Amino acid sequence: VKMSSMDLEKLKMTGAGRAMAVLTSGGDAQGMNAAVRAVTRMGIYVGAKVYLIYEGYQGLVDGGDNIKLAHWQSVTNIIQQGGTVIGSARCKAFTTREGRLAAAFNLVKKGITNLCVCGGDGSLTGANIFRSEWSSLLDELVQKGRITDTLARQHGHLNIVGLVGSIDNDFCGTDMTIGADSALHRIMEIIDAIMTTAQSHQRTFVLEVMGRHCGYLALVSALASGADWLLIPEAPPQEGWEDCMCSRLEGSRITGSRLNIIIIAEGAIDRNGKPITSTYVKDLVVQRLGYDTRVTVLGHVQRGGTPSAFDRVLSSKLGMEAVIALLEATPDTPACAIGLSGNRAVRLPLMECVEMTKLVQTAMNEKRFDEAVKLRGGSFENNWNIYKLLAFEKPIQSGSNFSLAILNVGAPAAGMNAAVRSAARLALAQGHKVYAVQDGFQGLANGELFEMEWHSVAGWTGQGGSLLGTKRTLPNKHMEKIVETIIKFNISALLVIGGFEGYAGVLQLFEARSHYDELCIPMCVIPATISNNVPGTDFSLGADTAVNAAMEGCDKIKQSASGTKRRVFVVETMGGFCGYLATCTGIAVGADAAYIFEDPFNIHDLKTNVEHLTEKMKKDVQRGLVLRNENCHENYTTDFIHRLYSSEGKGIFDCRVNVLGHLQQGGAPSPFDRNFGTKLGVKATQWISERLTENFRQGRVIANSPDTACVLGLNRKVISFIPVTELKDVTDFEHRMPKVQWWFNLRPMLKMLAKYQTSFCEYVPGEIEHVTRQINRTKKQNSTWQTSLF
Ligand SMILES: *[C@@H]1O[C@H](CO)[C@@H](O)[C@H](O)[C@H]1NC(C)=O
Ligand SMILES: *[C@@H]1O[C@H](CO)[C@@H](O)[C@H](O)[C@H]1NC(C)=O
Ligand SMILES: *[C@@H]1O[C@H](CO)[C@@H](O)[C@H](O)[C@H]1NC(C)=O
């Protein structure tokens, strides 16, 4: 059932007279607060009464003060906090019918028949049992004389919706669970720290990360850090792995590596299902190789800290969708969980997903490991295959005689180096010669190329900026010299990793093909820019890091005002004309407004916003935050907005300006960008190799069709290569961005969460995704380009 865009104003009516409650259960996960906030505010927005249930199911069973009516302000300033402010507890009582009877009584007394549960698969299963027993529980309450028959009849049905909060990312059906990305942030911070200390000593680190049944965190951190060895429960090592691992470590020492990292998931096992412990691995390395080896067990650190931007935006999106799902639920619709598919919220049949998740465990118990990896989903399998591909140098069978040149173009963006690394390594493994070009198209014109080896890119994934050097120069004025370089180095393919200039540059090269045969070679653009404005893709490398950097900046700015002063901050973000950065940062920090170029505003909007903020400040809110994209308006400059707010706020609040500037290019890349860069590098090289073989005739490569000069993009869930020339029609060259941008549908959410009167005409509710179909797709693997971001 595909739902079309609908006017949510209508939903607003259906929310009136309803009561809904939200609770968090099981292990806490970063991002749960953002979910609670979104459910609460969306609930209030649609006119429903929203209750917060404290201490998870225990609070539901105990009732009393644990179930509190929420106001708009109840969830102010919680989005940046880790854990869950409404508490979570393990609850024995709720597993008994008696406990659930008490819970039903507490809910029905308050007229609550809509429940949103944020927790792991156990918690969600509990919710489903509660739902199916609901009417019999009410009958029992009537029998015992605790509630009236009328009351029971009025509340005959309980609607349940689940949000999956789990740092392990172990729930089938959704691309990401709430908290997993933040956990990866914590792990990568620790790995980065270890890498710096280890430079001074030769050391081996055995790093144990969480995941008793699911190796996702271990796998992605290994991929993002280029770890030497990885042990996960889904894919136990072959017999004799101890020898392999030791020779791998020795090999990397010989080639000059001073640090070895072994990542092990808590639940790692061998082929017989016997646990492999971190101490066992450490002793092995010490005894066999005599290396100085340390074990680091990360433990609860992974649940700590502030939620990542990804988790905050994800939770807000899912929380809002949960409310709509509750409003639309009927006694016949099965309980659903809200999940993420590509960049959209989708509704999943809760119990089918739980069943699927259990199948993975069964497969592992029965030692059908290949199946376990497959059942985890296409993205897990893809990560696993790429890890294996890049982890260690393989002997090259034979040279291919093809040379690939890799360059960075535009402003530096986090993740560029990860993409260079994986592209170079895979190309080398395929027998190509790989040249790194310094300083973009300028360097290509000047012949600043050097040959790369497997080890030239060691440790590149974790480095920010561009190690190759990058420039904004476009090829147009240097075409002759570029062609000379291509001839001189006999280059048969170009990989351009960069932003809008990268796209525009390759388009120029493509258009010059009619003049120069030498340009008839495969060319690929990997989009990499903090602005996320490259046509042909939903996401660019570096955008996630930038949003995180801007978000951390705003968190600190907001915190600086904690105390007595009432203050509004006007914060200017980068992004050129593209409002992605401002919009996502706005959602992640709970901004009061985010002005962007694409969403035109006039003096009336400014007036409404100022008055709205002034009203808020008169009450108990102490801080306001308004984001402004650098090019959002020619005349309503940052200074103008600052002065406007200052004047209007006189006597109520003061106003300060912050220009975030280059900190948005971010230091170390986020785990998402490391992982995404690594995958895109691999996909690009695979594609280039295919085009090379396809277009090799009479001793040379002649690739002259449009589909040999492409942007490698991620569109929803599918990796696609779109010809640069086709993208011309959908590109606004003046403002350097795609004409249509998917994230625009995040704008109504931003406004709703900031409590503006907004029309939801543009909001498209989540589709209903069928898990079984998803699984079948994964099983068949009909398209190698079917992938996901995670
Ligand atoms: C590469 O070129 C050499 C000589 O130029 C030739 O002998 C060899 O077969 C070529 N290899 C491939 C894979 O085409
Ligand atoms: C800004 O002001 C100038 C006049 O100074 C005017 O020509 C221009 O149209 C204004 N820009 C916008 C976007 O309104
Ligand atoms: C130049 O590259 C082509 C492939 O495009 C290859 O067949 C040829 O052997 C190379 N020539 C030299 C001299 O390496």
Side-chain angles (χ1 to χ4, degrees):
V1 195
K2 195 175 169 354
M3 273 190 269
S4 59
S5 159
M6 60 157 76
D7 190 345
L8 289 202
E9 289 292 329
K10 285 183 197 136
L11 280 178
K12 198 168 183 174
M13 306 310 294
T14 58
R18 293 225 198 185
M20 46 184 72
V22 53
L23 66 83
T24 53
S25 171
D28 59 334
Q30 300 101 318
M32 280 181 164
N33 288 328
V36 170
R37 172 175 177 270
V39 171
T40 306
R41 294 201 163 167
M42 184 65 183
I44 293 173
Y45 179 86
V46 300
K49 270 186 172 174
V50 181
Y51 290 87
L52 300 175
I53 299 175
Y54 290 79
E55 311 308 330
Y57 285 124
Q58 191 63 51
L60 191 59
V61 173
D62 295 347
D65 267 357
N66 291 307
I67 307 179
K68 282 200 193 106
L69 185 66
H71 305 284
W72 193 268
Q73 309 293 2
S74 316
V75 288
T76 295
N77 227 356
I78 63 168
I79 194 168
Q80 76 283 6
Q81 295 180 30
T84 158
V85 293
I86 56 175
S88 171
R90 308 245 173 240
C91 177
K92 269 255 162 65
F94 195 72
T95 58
T96 66
R97 185 169 163 97
E98 209 174 316
R100 292 193 290 274
L101 191 70
F105 177 75
N106 290 329
L107 286 184
V108 93
K109 270 289 179 201
K110 292 214 150 62
I112 304 168
T113 51
N114 298 283
L115 184 61
C116 174
V117 177
C118 183
D121 58 346
S123 307
L124 301 186
T125 308
N128 194 55
I129 294 172
F130 189 42
R131 171 183 186 262
S132 52
E133 279 182 358
W134 181 258
S135 58
S136 79
L137 290 171
L138 293 198
D139 287 348
E140 193 175 332
L141 288 171
V142 173
Q143 253 170 34
K144 293 194 167 151
R146 298 188 62 193
I147 60 170
T148 64
D149 201 30
T150 330
L151 196 64
R153 255 182 293 122
Q154 278 166 352
H155 301 95
H157 186 71
L158 178 71
N159 298 318
I160 292 278
V161 59
L163 295 173
V164 196
S166 154
I167 66 164
D168 289 339
N169 199 25
D170 53 357
F171 195 78
C172 287
T174 181
D175 285 348
M176 278 297 259
T177 57
I178 292 169
D181 184 65
S182 302
L184 285 173
H185 273 260
R186 296 298 96 77
I187 297 172
M188 290 322 300
E189 281 157 17
I190 287 162
I191 293 181
D192 286 351
I194 282 176
M195 282 192 168
T196 43
T197 94
Q199 292 309 325
S200 21
H201 313 274
Q202 286 211 348
R203 248 177 213 163
T204 301
F205 278 91
V206 180
L207 216 70
E208 183 180 311
V209 304
M210 276 189 175
R212 227 167 297 157
H213 308 286
C214 178
Y216 177 82
L217 291 180
L219 172 54
V220 176
S221 17
L223 196 59
S225 64
D228 296 277
W229 196 265
L230 165 70
L231 293 156
I232 52 174
E234 291 89 344
Q238 300 297 337
E239 298 285 340
W241 62 275
E242 289 95 338
D243 300 333
C244 280
M245 185 182 80
C246 290
S247 67
R248 175 98 49 97
L249 296 183
E250 268 183 310
S252 89
R253 279 284 160 94
I254 290 164
T255 53
S257 161
R258 298 177 61 81
L259 165 72
N260 298 115
I261 292 182
I262 299 167
I263 295 183
I264 173 168
E266 222 180 342
I269 46 174
D270 65 15
R271 291 255 141 200
N272 302 312
K274 203 177 126 243
I276 301 176
T277 65
S278 40
T279 338
Y280 175 76
V281 177
K282 176 196 167 203
D283 292 346
L284 201 72
V285 179
V286 172
Q287 278 158 21
R288 297 241 189 131
L289 302 171
Y291 291 171
D292 182 1
T293 306
R294 307 290 160 99
V295 172
T296 304
V297 179
L298 264 51
H300 274 75
V301 171
Q302 293 159 89
R303 290 190 191 280
T306 177
S308 68
F310 180 90
D311 272 325
R312 298 186 196 185
V313 177
L314 171 74
S315 307
S316 304
K317 237 181 339 201
L318 301 191
M320 187 169 155
E321 183 64 30
V323 171
I324 302 169
L326 282 176
L327 290 181
E328 290 180 355
T330 67
D332 306 320
T333 43
C336 77
I338 311 294
L340 182 75
S341 172
N343 53 37
R344 297 190 210 180
V346 289
R347 298 182 201 172
L348 306 155
L350 177 60
M351 288 324 288
E352 275 178 50
C353 293
V354 170
E355 286 313 311
M356 282 299 309
T357 307
K358 284 191 185 135
L359 281 184
V360 186
Q361 190 57 45
T362 317
M364 288 196 284
N365 294 344
E366 292 170 3
K367 307 199 174 68
R368 290 176 282 120
F369 294 112
D370 288 347
E371 206 181 320
V373 170
K374 280 210 162 63
L375 285 168
R376 278 269 181 247
S379 152
F380 190 93
E381 196 182 1
N382 188 32
N383 283 329
W384 172 238
N385 289 335
I386 292 180
Y387 173 73
K388 286 191 292 186
L389 197 66
L390 298 175
F392 63 103
E393 191 170 359
K394 295 171 193 66
I396 297 159
Q397 309 299 337
S398 66
S400 70
N401 291 343
F402 291 128
S403 300
L404 165 70
I406 306 180
L407 56 153
N408 291 164
V409 174
M416 278 181 162
N417 301 322
V420 173
R421 168 181 172 271
S422 66
R425 286 201 166 173
L426 181 61
L428 288 167
Q430 293 182 337
H432 308 328
K433 199 179 243 193
V434 180
Y435 290 107
V437 182
Q438 278 170 327
D439 298 333
F441 290 119
Q442 180 93 57
L444 191 61
N446 297 341
E448 289 163 31
L449 275 66
F450 62 93
E451 203 179 329
M452 295 189 111
E453 291 165 20
W454 188 270
H455 293 283
S456 348
V457 289
W460 278 34
T461 20
Q463 311 256 356
S466 157
L467 292 167
L468 293 186
T470 178
K471 274 220 162 77
R472 287 174 185 273
T473 328
L474 287 171
N476 246 351
K477 296 200 180 85
H478 311 276
M479 216 50 98
E480 295 277 342
K481 289 180 76 189
I482 287 176
V483 169
E484 272 170 38
T485 306
I486 290 180
I487 297 169
K488 184 172 165 204
F489 291 88
N490 194 21
I491 288 165
S492 36
L494 271 187
L495 175 58
V496 175
I497 302 166
F500 197 86
E501 291 92 352
Y503 164 67
V506 170
L507 184 62
Q508 289 179 358
L509 293 178
F510 170 80
E511 287 176 343
R513 274 182 178 178
S514 50
H515 295 99
Y516 305 98
D517 277 354
E518 290 78 6
L519 294 174
C520 293
I521 54 175
M523 294 183 250
C524 181
V525 184
I526 293 183
T529 161
I530 65 162
S531 309
N532 199 23
N533 61 340
V534 180
T537 187
D538 288 350
F539 290 101
S540 299
L541 276 179
D544 181 63
T545 306
V547 174
N548 274 292
M551 174 194 88
E552 280 162 24
C554 290
D555 280 353
K556 284 181 189 143
I557 289 169
K558 268 177 104 170
Q559 204 168 23
S560 75
S562 58
T564 50
K565 274 252 162 65
R566 288 170 201 265
R567 184 167 282 172
V568 172
F569 294 97
V570 176
V571 177
E572 184 184 301
T573 62
M574 286 182 152
F577 282 97
C578 176
Y580 177 81
L581 191 53
T583 301
C584 283
T585 308
I587 294 168
V589 299
D592 294 285
Y595 297 114
I596 64 168
F597 172 76
E598 298 94 326
D599 195 359
F601 57 97
N602 56 28
I603 194 68
H604 300 291
D605 300 304
L606 286 173
K607 178 171 175 280
T608 315
N609 290 358
V610 171
E611 285 169 358
H612 169 71
L613 208 52
T614 312
E615 277 312 303
K616 259 173 77 172
M617 292 301 227
K618 279 183 189 160
K619 295 185 193 137
D620 48 359
V621 177
Q622 301 216 321
R623 278 157 283 177
L625 187 88
V626 173
L627 290 169
R628 183 188 174 280
N629 159 269
E630 56 185 357
N631 290 341
C632 69
H633 198 287
E634 197 183 340
N635 300 325
Y636 301 146
T637 58
T638 303
D639 186 50
F640 175 86
I641 292 179
H642 171 215
R643 283 162 187 267
L644 177 71
Y645 276 83
S646 299
S647 301
E648 295 301 313
K650 204 164 275 168
I652 303 161
F653 59 82
D654 67 2
C655 182
R656 292 282 190 279
V657 169
N658 283 270
V659 178
L660 291 177
H662 283 78
L663 75 79
Q664 291 159 93
Q665 271 163 11
S670 67
F672 178 92
D673 279 329
R674 296 182 198 202
N675 187 2
F676 192 36
T678 302
K679 288 191 204 177
L680 290 184
V682 167
K683 292 286 177 199
T685 304
Q686 286 172 340
W687 179 85
I688 285 174
S689 294
E690 282 170 22
R691 299 292 87 71
L692 283 172
T693 337
E694 242 171 55
N695 296 287
F696 185 71
R697 291 176 211 103
Q698 285 117 34
R700 56 160 306 201
V701 174
I702 304 173
N704 47 17
S705 59
D707 64 358
T708 53
C710 287
V711 172
L712 162 51
L714 189 91
N715 294 289
R716 182 120 197 244
K717 272 187 104 151
V718 182
I719 290 270
S720 49
F721 291 85
I722 309 179
V724 286
T725 178
E726 260 179 38
L727 289 169
K728 265 165 78 176
D729 289 344
V730 295
T731 304
D732 172 354
F733 284 94
E734 189 194 341
H735 300 107
R736 299 154 41 91
M737 62 167 108
K739 284 181 187 161
V740 178
Q741 306 188 86
W742 69 269
W743 53 263
F744 211 67
N745 69 19
L746 296 175
R747 301 281 304 167
M749 176 167 94
L750 172 79
K751 292 175 191 170
M752 184 280 287
L753 288 172
K755 204 180 183 178
Y756 284 107
Q757 290 311 316
T758 172
S759 148
F760 274 85
C761 301
E762 309 121 287
Y763 182 79
V764 183
E767 288 168 29
I768 296 169
E769 187 105 335
H770 295 282
V771 196
T772 33
R773 209 189 316 139
Q774 239 184 22
I775 302 299
N776 288 341
R777 243 190 350 240
T778 323
K779 270 187 185 158
K780 270 190 233 140
Q781 288 284 313
N782 43 10
S783 161
T784 47
W785 307 120
Q786 268 279 349
T787 182
S788 133
L789 294 78
F790 315 101

